[in-house]
Amino acid sequence: MKNLSNQPCLIARSLALVGDAWSMLIMRDANTGLTRFDEFRKSLSIAPTMLTARLATLTDEGLLEKRRYSDRPPRDEYVLTQAGRDFLPVLFAIGAWGSKYRSGGEVTRFFDAETGTEIDPVTIDRRTGAPVGTRPIRIVVPGREG
């Protein structure tokens, strides 16, 4: 995946960072307010070594910030940065796709904490106002324009 981080495609570069399921689920949990190692571990049932590696990467890449909350014993928490908060719509776009193509049986649902309404995300192109995926796209690779 590291080879993707230098690609001109921003989707590839982003996937190099958060393209694995554990990183996505850590970001989901961080956006719901989890901050501590043990909270992530309990929520995800993830091996400690895997969680340590993912938290380090997400911190190094600026989606999470490590903050000390106890000196004795030394303990850190992982707090969302602006980049981490800005990742939430990406997670909801994936969830919306899953709702359409992978649902069935009991599924987790997400609600707006203030209004109590279930979240039904849609991705809109800011310039045209059209829902993304309803119009053809064209990819322009640097050096191959035209």
Side-chain angles (χ1 to χ4, degrees):
M1 289 300 258
K2 295 235 185 243
N3 293 340
L4 296 176
S5 61
N6 294 321
Q7 294 288 317
C9 175
L10 293 174
I11 294 171
R13 286 185 192 182
S14 301
L15 286 173
L17 170 61
V18 291
D20 67 279
W22 289 125
S23 294
M24 296 265 194
L25 294 173
I26 290 167
M27 293 306 298
R28 176 202 64 192
D29 285 357
N31 271 283
T32 65
L34 300 189
T35 61
R36 298 190 177 174
F37 187 91
D38 289 340
E39 293 173 331
F40 289 116
R41 188 163 174 228
K42 182 179 179 186
S43 172
L44 300 172
S45 300
I46 183 175
T49 53
M50 183 73 70
L51 180 56
T52 299
R54 293 306 189 275
L55 287 171
T57 298
L58 293 167
T59 301
D60 291 345
E61 295 294 335
L63 278 85
L64 297 173
E65 180 181 342
K66 194 172 175 179
R67 290 191 194 154
R68 179 71 35 110
Y69 70 87
S70 172
D71 287 323
R72 291 180 186 229
R75 296 278 189 258
D76 297 311
E77 64 182 352
Y78 299 87
V79 181
L80 287 166
T81 62
Q82 186 61 51
R85 288 186 293 276
D86 287 346
F87 193 71
L88 186 60
V90 175
L91 294 172
F92 275 98
I94 292 168
W97 180 88
S99 177
K100 187 172 181 178
Y101 295 105
R102 305 295 296 172
S103 63
E106 295 289 324
V107 297
T108 302
R109 296 166 53 201
F110 298 91
F111 293 85
D112 182 296
E114 291 179 19
T115 66
T117 58
E118 190 164 5
I119 297 171
D120 184 16
V122 62
T123 306
I124 302 291
D125 176 30
R126 185 184 318 263
R127 290 191 177 98
T128 64
V132 173
T134 62
R135 298 166 75 144
I137 66 166
R138 179 174 54 93
I139 297 174
V140 177
V141 179
R144 294 191 240 166
E145 293 89 7

PDB file of all heavy atoms in Angstrom, residues 51-73:
ATOM      1  N   LEU A  51      -3.675  -2.900  16.735  1.00  0.00           N
ATOM      2  CA  LEU A  51      -4.223  -1.616  17.136  1.00  0.00           C
ATOM      3  C   LEU A  51      -3.108  -0.586  17.327  1.00  0.00           C
ATOM      4  O   LEU A  51      -3.227   0.552  16.872  1.00  0.00           O
ATOM      5  CB  LEU A  51      -5.041  -1.760  18.421  1.00  0.00           C
ATOM      6  CG  LEU A  51      -5.675  -0.484  18.972  1.00  0.00           C
ATOM      7  CD1 LEU A  51      -6.557   0.208  17.937  1.00  0.00           C
ATOM      8  CD2 LEU A  51      -6.465  -0.807  20.240  1.00  0.00           C
ATOM      9  N   THR A  52      -2.029  -0.985  17.968  1.00  0.00           N
ATOM     10  CA  THR A  52      -0.894  -0.080  18.160  1.00  0.00           C
ATOM     11  C   THR A  52      -0.367   0.424  16.825  1.00  0.00           C
ATOM     12  O   THR A  52      -0.126   1.625  16.653  1.00  0.00           O
ATOM     13  CB  THR A  52       0.230  -0.781  18.946  1.00  0.00           C
ATOM     14  OG1 THR A  52      -0.270  -1.149  20.237  1.00  0.00           O
ATOM     15  CG2 THR A  52       1.447   0.106  19.107  1.00  0.00           C
ATOM     16  N   ALA A  53      -0.209  -0.470  15.875  1.00  0.00           N
ATOM     17  CA  ALA A  53       0.308  -0.091  14.553  1.00  0.00           C
ATOM     18  C   ALA A  53      -0.649   0.859  13.835  1.00  0.00           C
ATOM     19  O   ALA A  53      -0.220   1.869  13.256  1.00  0.00           O
ATOM     20  CB  ALA A  53       0.555  -1.337  13.712  1.00  0.00           C
ATOM     21  N   ARG A  54      -1.940   0.550  13.869  1.00  0.00           N
ATOM     22  CA  ARG A  54      -2.916   1.403  13.178  1.00  0.00           C
ATOM     23  C   ARG A  54      -3.012   2.779  13.832  1.00  0.00           C
ATOM     24  O   ARG A  54      -3.082   3.792  13.144  1.00  0.00           O
ATOM     25  CB  ARG A  54      -4.295   0.747  13.145  1.00  0.00           C
ATOM     26  CG  ARG A  54      -4.388  -0.509  12.309  1.00  0.00           C
ATOM     27  CD  ARG A  54      -3.894  -0.280  10.882  1.00  0.00           C
ATOM     28  NE  ARG A  54      -4.148  -1.385  10.007  1.00  0.00           N
ATOM     29  CZ  ARG A  54      -3.371  -2.456   9.878  1.00  0.00           C
ATOM     30  NH1 ARG A  54      -2.290  -2.587  10.604  1.00  0.00           N
ATOM     31  NH2 ARG A  54      -3.671  -3.412   9.020  1.00  0.00           N
ATOM     32  N   LEU A  55      -3.029   2.830  15.154  1.00  0.00           N
ATOM     33  CA  LEU A  55      -3.085   4.124  15.849  1.00  0.00           C
ATOM     34  C   LEU A  55      -1.845   4.956  15.547  1.00  0.00           C
ATOM     35  O   LEU A  55      -1.941   6.167  15.346  1.00  0.00           O
ATOM     36  CB  LEU A  55      -3.236   3.917  17.357  1.00  0.00           C
ATOM     37  CG  LEU A  55      -4.609   3.431  17.836  1.00  0.00           C
ATOM     38  CD1 LEU A  55      -4.542   3.050  19.310  1.00  0.00           C
ATOM     39  CD2 LEU A  55      -5.683   4.473  17.586  1.00  0.00           C
ATOM     40  N   ALA A  56      -0.689   4.315  15.480  1.00  0.00           N
ATOM     41  CA  ALA A  56       0.549   5.033  15.158  1.00  0.00           C
ATOM     42  C   ALA A  56       0.479   5.633  13.761  1.00  0.00           C
ATOM     43  O   ALA A  56       0.834   6.802  13.553  1.00  0.00           O
ATOM     44  CB  ALA A  56       1.751   4.095  15.288  1.00  0.00           C
ATOM     45  N   THR A  57      -0.008   4.869  12.797  1.00  0.00           N
ATOM     46  CA  THR A  57      -0.115   5.370  11.428  1.00  0.00           C
ATOM     47  C   THR A  57      -1.113   6.514  11.343  1.00  0.00           C
ATOM     48  O   THR A  57      -0.825   7.554  10.739  1.00  0.00           O
ATOM     49  CB  THR A  57      -0.525   4.239  10.463  1.00  0.00           C
ATOM     50  OG1 THR A  57       0.487   3.237  10.486  1.00  0.00           O
ATOM     51  CG2 THR A  57      -0.707   4.748   9.052  1.00  0.00           C
ATOM     52  N   LEU A  58      -2.277   6.345  11.947  1.00  0.00           N
ATOM     53  CA  LEU A  58      -3.296   7.399  11.905  1.00  0.00           C
ATOM     54  C   LEU A  58      -2.820   8.669  12.609  1.00  0.00           C
ATOM     55  O   LEU A  58      -3.156   9.779  12.198  1.00  0.00           O
ATOM     56  CB  LEU A  58      -4.611   6.890  12.505  1.00  0.00           C
ATOM     57  CG  LEU A  58      -5.311   5.793  11.696  1.00  0.00           C
ATOM     58  CD1 LEU A  58      -6.422   5.149  12.517  1.00  0.00           C
ATOM     59  CD2 LEU A  58      -5.837   6.337  10.383  1.00  0.00           C
ATOM     60  N   THR A  59      -1.996   8.497  13.636  1.00  0.00           N
ATOM     61  CA  THR A  59      -1.410   9.648  14.329  1.00  0.00           C
ATOM     62  C   THR A  59      -0.331  10.300  13.469  1.00  0.00           C
ATOM     63  O   THR A  59      -0.323  11.520  13.281  1.00  0.00           O
ATOM     64  CB  THR A  59      -0.845   9.211  15.696  1.00  0.00           C
ATOM     65  OG1 THR A  59      -1.912   8.654  16.477  1.00  0.00           O
ATOM     66  CG2 THR A  59      -0.233  10.378  16.444  1.00  0.00           C
ATOM     67  N   ASP A  60       0.571   9.483  12.934  1.00  0.00           N
ATOM     68  CA  ASP A  60       1.654  10.007  12.080  1.00  0.00           C
ATOM     69  C   ASP A  60       1.108  10.759  10.871  1.00  0.00           C
ATOM     70  O   ASP A  60       1.699  11.737  10.423  1.00  0.00           O
ATOM     71  CB  ASP A  60       2.572   8.880  11.592  1.00  0.00           C
ATOM     72  CG  ASP A  60       3.406   8.273  12.706  1.00  0.00           C
ATOM     73  OD1 ASP A  60       3.494   8.884  13.798  1.00  0.00           O
ATOM     74  OD2 ASP A  60       3.962   7.180  12.495  1.00  0.00           O
ATOM     75  N   GLU A  61      -0.025  10.292  10.349  1.00  0.00           N
ATOM     76  CA  GLU A  61      -0.601  10.898   9.143  1.00  0.00           C
ATOM     77  C   GLU A  61      -1.565  12.047   9.445  1.00  0.00           C
ATOM     78  O   GLU A  61      -2.145  12.635   8.544  1.00  0.00           O
ATOM     79  CB  GLU A  61      -1.297   9.829   8.298  1.00  0.00           C
ATOM     80  CG  GLU A  61      -0.355   8.789   7.740  1.00  0.00           C
ATOM     81  CD  GLU A  61       0.646   9.352   6.722  1.00  0.00           C
ATOM     82  OE1 GLU A  61       0.348  10.393   6.088  1.00  0.00           O
ATOM     83  OE2 GLU A  61       1.715   8.754   6.571  1.00  0.00           O
ATOM     84  N   GLY A  62      -1.763  12.343  10.736  1.00  0.00           N
ATOM     85  CA  GLY A  62      -2.515  13.541  11.096  1.00  0.00           C
ATOM     86  C   GLY A  62      -4.020  13.393  11.219  1.00  0.00           C
ATOM     87  O   GLY A  62      -4.728  14.395  11.297  1.00  0.00           O
ATOM     88  N   LEU A  63      -4.544  12.156  11.275  1.00  0.00           N
ATOM     89  CA  LEU A  63      -5.977  11.990  11.485  1.00  0.00           C
ATOM     90  C   LEU A  63      -6.327  11.942  12.970  1.00  0.00           C
ATOM     91  O   LEU A  63      -7.439  12.289  13.366  1.00  0.00           O
ATOM     92  CB  LEU A  63      -6.487  10.732  10.783  1.00  0.00           C
ATOM     93  CG  LEU A  63      -6.754  10.939   9.301  1.00  0.00           C
ATOM     94  CD1 LEU A  63      -5.489  10.747   8.489  1.00  0.00           C
ATOM     95  CD2 LEU A  63      -7.838  10.033   8.813  1.00  0.00           C
ATOM     96  N   LEU A  64      -5.378  11.499  13.765  1.00  0.00           N
ATOM     97  CA  LEU A  64      -5.532  11.461  15.215  1.00  0.00           C
ATOM     98  C   LEU A  64      -4.352  12.190  15.849  1.00  0.00           C
ATOM     99  O   LEU A  64      -3.265  12.248  15.268  1.00  0.00           O
ATOM    100  CB  LEU A  64      -5.557  10.019  15.733  1.00  0.00           C
ATOM    101  CG  LEU A  64      -6.690   9.121  15.273  1.00  0.00           C
ATOM    102  CD1 LEU A  64      -6.460   7.688  15.746  1.00  0.00           C
ATOM    103  CD2 LEU A  64      -8.033   9.628  15.775  1.00  0.00           C
ATOM    104  N   GLU A  65      -4.579  12.717  17.040  1.00  0.00           N
ATOM    105  CA  GLU A  65      -3.519  13.361  17.813  1.00  0.00           C
ATOM    106  C   GLU A  65      -3.394  12.619  19.136  1.00  0.00           C
ATOM    107  O   GLU A  65      -4.396  12.356  19.805  1.00  0.00           O
ATOM    108  CB  GLU A  65      -3.888  14.823  18.058  1.00  0.00           C
ATOM    109  CG  GLU A  65      -2.868  15.584  18.848  1.00  0.00           C
ATOM    110  CD  GLU A  65      -3.306  17.020  19.090  1.00  0.00           C
ATOM    111  OE1 GLU A  65      -4.204  17.513  18.380  1.00  0.00           O
ATOM    112  OE2 GLU A  65      -2.746  17.638  20.008  1.00  0.00           O
ATOM    113  N   LYS A  66      -2.186  12.278  19.505  1.00  0.00           N
ATOM    114  CA  LYS A  66      -1.920  11.565  20.749  1.00  0.00           C
ATOM    115  C   LYS A  66      -1.751  12.582  21.875  1.00  0.00           C
ATOM    116  O   LYS A  66      -0.968  13.520  21.749  1.00  0.00           O
ATOM    117  CB  LYS A  66      -0.645  10.752  20.570  1.00  0.00           C
ATOM    118  CG  LYS A  66      -0.370   9.726  21.595  1.00  0.00           C
ATOM    119  CD  LYS A  66       0.840   8.919  21.112  1.00  0.00           C
ATOM    120  CE  LYS A  66       1.292   7.914  22.108  1.00  0.00           C
ATOM    121  NZ  LYS A  66       2.430   7.156  21.606  1.00  0.00           N
ATOM    122  N   ARG A  67      -2.536  12.398  22.946  1.00  0.00           N
ATOM    123  CA  ARG A  67      -2.467  13.306  24.103  1.00  0.00           C
ATOM    124  C   ARG A  67      -2.307  12.494  25.388  1.00  0.00           C
ATOM    125  O   ARG A  67      -3.029  11.531  25.600  1.00  0.00           O
ATOM    126  CB  ARG A  67      -3.738  14.144  24.216  1.00  0.00           C
ATOM    127  CG  ARG A  67      -3.869  15.171  23.141  1.00  0.00           C
ATOM    128  CD  ARG A  67      -4.988  16.130  23.475  1.00  0.00           C
ATOM    129  NE  ARG A  67      -5.330  16.919  22.299  1.00  0.00           N
ATOM    130  CZ  ARG A  67      -6.495  17.452  22.077  1.00  0.00           C
ATOM    131  NH1 ARG A  67      -7.477  17.284  22.939  1.00  0.00           N
ATOM    132  NH2 ARG A  67      -6.724  18.162  20.995  1.00  0.00           N
ATOM    133  N   ARG A  68      -1.410  12.929  26.242  1.00  0.00           N
ATOM    134  CA  ARG A  68      -1.182  12.265  27.526  1.00  0.00           C
ATOM    135  C   ARG A  68      -2.305  12.643  28.488  1.00  0.00           C
ATOM    136  O   ARG A  68      -2.602  13.811  28.671  1.00  0.00           O
ATOM    137  CB  ARG A  68       0.174  12.716  28.059  1.00  0.00           C
ATOM    138  CG  ARG A  68       0.626  12.184  29.381  1.00  0.00           C
ATOM    139  CD  ARG A  68       1.022  10.722  29.459  1.00  0.00           C
ATOM    140  NE  ARG A  68       1.658  10.093  28.362  1.00  0.00           N
ATOM    141  CZ  ARG A  68       2.927   9.694  28.325  1.00  0.00           C
ATOM    142  NH1 ARG A  68       3.721   9.927  29.342  1.00  0.00           N
ATOM    143  NH2 ARG A  68       3.394   9.058  27.281  1.00  0.00           N
ATOM    144  N   TYR A  69      -2.958  11.626  29.077  1.00  0.00           N
ATOM    145  CA  TYR A  69      -4.001  11.920  30.064  1.00  0.00           C
ATOM    146  C   TYR A  69      -3.621  11.430  31.462  1.00  0.00           C
ATOM    147  O   TYR A  69      -4.298  11.750  32.435  1.00  0.00           O
ATOM    148  CB  TYR A  69      -5.370  11.361  29.644  1.00  0.00           C
ATOM    149  CG  TYR A  69      -5.507   9.865  29.668  1.00  0.00           C
ATOM    150  CD1 TYR A  69      -5.889   9.192  30.827  1.00  0.00           C
ATOM    151  CD2 TYR A  69      -5.287   9.111  28.523  1.00  0.00           C
ATOM    152  CE1 TYR A  69      -6.039   7.818  30.851  1.00  0.00           C
ATOM    153  CE2 TYR A  69      -5.430   7.736  28.538  1.00  0.00           C
ATOM    154  CZ  TYR A  69      -5.800   7.094  29.697  1.00  0.00           C
ATOM    155  OH  TYR A  69      -5.936   5.735  29.713  1.00  0.00           O
ATOM    156  N   SER A  70      -2.529  10.670  31.551  1.00  0.00           N
ATOM    157  CA  SER A  70      -2.063  10.208  32.862  1.00  0.00           C
ATOM    158  C   SER A  70      -0.546  10.056  32.808  1.00  0.00           C
ATOM    159  O   SER A  70      -0.016   9.465  31.865  1.00  0.00           O
ATOM    160  CB  SER A  70      -2.718   8.873  33.215  1.00  0.00           C
ATOM    161  OG  SER A  70      -2.139   8.326  34.390  1.00  0.00           O
ATOM    162  N   ASP A  71       0.121  10.584  33.833  1.00  0.00           N
ATOM    163  CA  ASP A  71       1.571  10.436  33.904  1.00  0.00           C
ATOM    164  C   ASP A  71       1.980   9.193  34.681  1.00  0.00           C
ATOM    165  O   ASP A  71       3.031   8.619  34.423  1.00  0.00           O
ATOM    166  CB  ASP A  71       2.202  11.682  34.537  1.00  0.00           C
ATOM    167  CG  ASP A  71       2.167  12.875  33.597  1.00  0.00           C
ATOM    168  OD1 ASP A  71       2.347  12.668  32.380  1.00  0.00           O
ATOM    169  OD2 ASP A  71       1.948  13.998  34.077  1.00  0.00           O
ATOM    170  N   ARG A  72       1.159   8.804  35.667  1.00  0.00           N
ATOM    171  CA  ARG A  72       1.476   7.629  36.479  1.00  0.00           C
ATOM    172  C   ARG A  72       0.265   6.731  36.576  1.00  0.00           C
ATOM    173  O   ARG A  72      -0.655   7.070  37.308  1.00  0.00           O
ATOM    174  CB  ARG A  72       1.912   8.068  37.875  1.00  0.00           C
ATOM    175  CG  ARG A  72       3.232   8.758  37.834  1.00  0.00           C
ATOM    176  CD  ARG A  72       3.629   9.163  39.230  1.00  0.00           C
ATOM    177  NE  ARG A  72       4.845   9.941  39.139  1.00  0.00           N
ATOM    178  CZ  ARG A  72       5.900   9.722  39.869  1.00  0.00           C
ATOM    179  NH1 ARG A  72       5.884   8.759  40.763  1.00  0.00           N
ATOM    180  NH2 ARG A  72       6.954  10.470  39.756  1.00  0.00           N
ATOM    181  N   PRO A  73       0.206   5.668  35.850  1.00  0.00           N
ATOM    182  CA  PRO A  73       1.164   5.265  34.817  1.00  0.00           C
ATOM    183  C   PRO A  73       0.971   6.113  33.558  1.00  0.00           C
ATOM    184  O   PRO A  73      -0.099   6.698  33.349  1.00  0.00           O
ATOM    185  CB  PRO A  73       0.794   3.803  34.551  1.00  0.00           C
ATOM    186  CG  PRO A  73      -0.662   3.729  34.852  1.00  0.00           C
ATOM    187  CD  PRO A  73      -0.905   4.710  35.968  1.00  0.00           C
TER     188      PRO A  73
END
